[in-house]
Amino acid sequence: LKMRFEDFRLLSIFFSTMLINQIYTLIAPFYPLVAEKRGIAHWVVGLIFTVMPLAGCLVASQIGKNLSYLGRRNTYTGGMLLGGISLAIFAFIPESSNTIFILMSIISRILGGIGMVSVYITGLAIISSDYGDKRERNISILEVFAGLGLMVGPTFGTICYALVGFTGIFLFSSTLVFIFTPCLWYTLSEAKEFQEVKVNTACWKLLKNKNILLDVLVGLYSSTTYNYFDPSLGPYMISLGFTEQDVGYVFIISTLAYTVGSFGLVFLLTRVKKFYLMIWSVVMIVLGEIVIGPIGGFMDKVPFWIPVLGVCLACLGASIGFVTPLPSMLDEADMLPHKDMDMNPDALSALFTMETTMGEIIGPMMAGILVQFIGFELSSTSIAIIGAILITFYGTMRRTKNLLISSEEDLEHPLLI
């Protein structure tokens, strides 16, 4: 019975992760159209979309730092409630003035961003500490559900918008979240909390550990390159003569490639050294950027398989480089003497989430700035060069053996070596 309850709790974490990730992409198909009809500028719509990962990035460090005091169950269910409130706000603004519409949209996305990282950080911390022997597998499955949430969001949003309209879709979605949250509270009743040690450590201080820093850089590079395609790939393909339908197919393929990569890690993480997975993730991204950028630029007529191959390589690599850093950092913490109870999973989960949200901000910004000044092909070449440099640093500087304690202070904060 206990094992069944633990499995049910794990399924609840997976499902809630999928649910909270839908908030990020749910409005993508119709919100820009609604805003355009109201005469709202494109840059304002871009700001509304950007503010969600930005808010998450800004609070992730504090959530990880204070998770032991807030409580995992409180933080997780609180994050879900914020996500529900974020959706509910949208339901009551369609008839308001443009000023109120924009202001409430920004507030909604801020609350959604805070809720999303609260759920993400806490879920990863619970899996890392409560399911230690199967954490690699469960983290990979978590990412599969996160990818499904991102993939289902636009489809669900398009269908519901056609059936029940702007207000209806947000009332339905927020009600679903509010109904599920009490069930989640119950399933998390046995989630491991701090019993003996409570350490208040800012997660960014963990970057003093060179191995942790290199893992974070690979994760940040993977998240950035994955989000780089969103605003830049479509216009580039149209300029090459492809149709909007072709662009849609490529983006569907990119999401499938990312999901397949995350699912494959369920098996690879326990069979292949994480050091090699990280190396190969960046290699695949670099190859994908070269195929889709400079190689395509040398062709008079670019065949459809070129962007498909480039996107598949890059997104497969991004999925590996996105998921693997947290298990790798947790292994680093396990190798060190004097485990600091659950502080390592809490702080490292926050660091992992920060790297992800930063990539969601940096990727589109890089696409906008680089493509504007040097074009898509040279931008992709630049990203590939950065990846090659990162591989060199990671391969030569990443330590794979245990570290020695250098002072008594290191015993208190073993990751800060």
Side-chain angles (χ1 to χ4, degrees):
L1 181 62
K2 181 179 179 182
M3 179 60 68
R4 270 186 247 139
F5 182 83
E6 288 181 353
D7 292 340
F8 184 66
R9 180 178 63 182
L10 196 59
L11 287 174
S12 299
I13 292 173
F14 292 155
F15 180 75
S16 57
T17 300
M18 183 177 71
L19 206 59
I20 202 74
N21 270 272
Q22 286 188 49
I23 296 175
Y24 187 72
T25 56
L26 182 67
I27 68 173
F30 59 86
Y31 186 89
L33 302 178
V34 173
E36 186 176 11
K37 289 179 182 178
R38 299 176 67 110
I40 297 173
H42 291 292
W43 71 267
V44 176
V45 176
L47 173 65
I48 291 169
F49 273 78
T50 304
V51 77
M52 186 172 181
L54 180 60
C57 183
L58 291 175
V59 303
S61 175
Q62 291 302 312
I63 292 173
K65 180 179 178 180
N66 298 291
L67 189 56
S68 60
Y69 302 102
L70 296 172
R72 289 177 172 178
R73 183 164 66 159
N74 296 336
T75 305
Y76 202 104
T77 53
M80 289 297 294
L81 286 174
L82 285 177
I85 294 170
S86 169
L87 292 169
I89 288 174
F90 274 116
F92 299 101
I93 64 173
E95 303 302 325
S96 60
S97 66
N98 277 4
T99 301
I100 299 298
F101 186 87
I102 294 169
L103 179 62
M104 296 308 292
S105 294
I106 292 174
I107 292 174
S108 170
R109 297 295 277 180
I110 290 174
L111 293 177
I114 296 172
M116 190 173 181
V117 298
S118 299
V119 169
Y120 217 72
I121 291 170
T122 314
L124 289 169
I126 292 172
I127 289 174
S128 299
S129 63
D130 291 25
Y131 301 88
D133 56 333
K134 298 179 180 178
R135 68 188 182 195
E136 288 88 356
R137 185 198 70 175
N138 290 332
I139 288 172
S140 299
I141 296 175
L142 184 78
E143 288 304 323
V144 171
F145 275 84
L148 287 173
L150 296 174
M151 189 165 46
V152 169
T155 305
F156 179 75
T158 301
I159 295 172
C160 286
Y161 181 69
L163 293 175
V164 297
F166 190 93
T167 298
I169 184 175
F170 290 112
L171 284 176
F172 176 79
S173 301
S174 59
T175 301
L176 182 62
V177 173
F178 290 141
I179 290 174
F180 179 70
T181 300
C183 302
L184 189 63
W185 174 268
Y186 172 72
T187 61
L188 294 178
S189 59
E190 293 186 10
K192 192 175 180 182
E193 299 287 357
F194 280 106
Q195 299 295 332
E196 300 175 20
V197 180
K198 295 193 176 186
V199 182
N200 198 323
T201 303
C203 63
W204 61 266
K205 291 182 179 180
L206 304 180
L207 295 176
K208 293 180 180 179
N209 181 298
K210 186 165 61 176
N211 284 3
I212 300 292
L213 174 60
L214 289 169
D215 288 341
V216 166
L217 289 177
V218 171
L220 178 61
Y221 179 76
S222 301
S223 178
T224 299
T225 51
Y226 182 77
N227 289 281
Y228 161 79
F229 288 125
D230 286 345
S232 61
L233 182 59
Y236 175 67
M237 288 185 63
I238 295 296
S239 72
L240 295 176
F242 293 105
T243 65
E244 292 183 1
Q245 190 176 27
D246 293 332
V247 174
Y249 287 145
V250 169
F251 274 100
I252 291 173
I253 292 170
S254 71
T255 307
L256 288 174
Y258 183 89
T259 304
V260 168
S262 299
F263 186 75
L265 282 173
V266 175
F267 307 97
L268 291 176
L269 277 171
T270 56
R271 293 168 173 82
V272 181
K273 288 185 178 180
K274 298 175 185 65
F275 175 82
Y276 297 118
L277 287 174
M278 302 278 268
I279 292 289
W280 276 107
S281 71
V282 181
V283 169
M284 292 175 71
I285 293 173
V286 169
L287 291 175
E289 294 287 353
I290 291 173
V291 169
I292 205 168
I295 288 182
F298 287 116
M299 298 180 178
D300 294 330
K301 177 65 176 176
V302 179
F304 184 65
W305 64 266
I306 286 288
V308 169
L309 177 60
V311 161
C312 282
L313 285 170
C315 290
L316 278 171
S319 66
I320 297 171
F322 178 80
V323 177
T324 311
L326 180 58
S328 179
M329 290 187 287
L330 289 166
D331 285 350
E332 174 72 8
D334 288 343
M335 288 169 63
L336 295 166
H338 182 76
K339 313 293 189 301
D340 218 357
M341 295 297 290
D342 292 345
M343 190 61 233
N344 293 348
D346 290 354
L348 291 173
S349 297
L351 193 61
F352 175 77
T353 305
M354 284 180 64
E355 115 205 344
T356 303
T357 53
M358 286 181 66
E360 292 170 355
I361 299 167
I362 297 171
M365 288 178 61
M366 283 184 62
I369 296 172
L370 288 179
V371 174
Q372 177 70 30
F373 288 101
I374 63 177
F376 183 87
E377 293 159 6
L378 285 178
S379 297
S380 297
T381 305
S382 302
I383 292 173
I385 292 172
I386 293 172
I389 295 171
L390 179 59
I391 292 171
T392 303
F393 274 99
Y394 192 88
T396 56
M397 298 179 65
R398 179 62 161 88
R399 295 178 298 239
T400 57
K401 294 185 178 181
N402 202 351
L403 302 176
L404 297 176
I405 295 178
S406 57
S407 66
E408 292 184 3
E409 182 181 355
D410 295 334
L411 284 171
E412 298 181 4
H413 302 288
L415 288 183
L416 309 186
I417 297 177

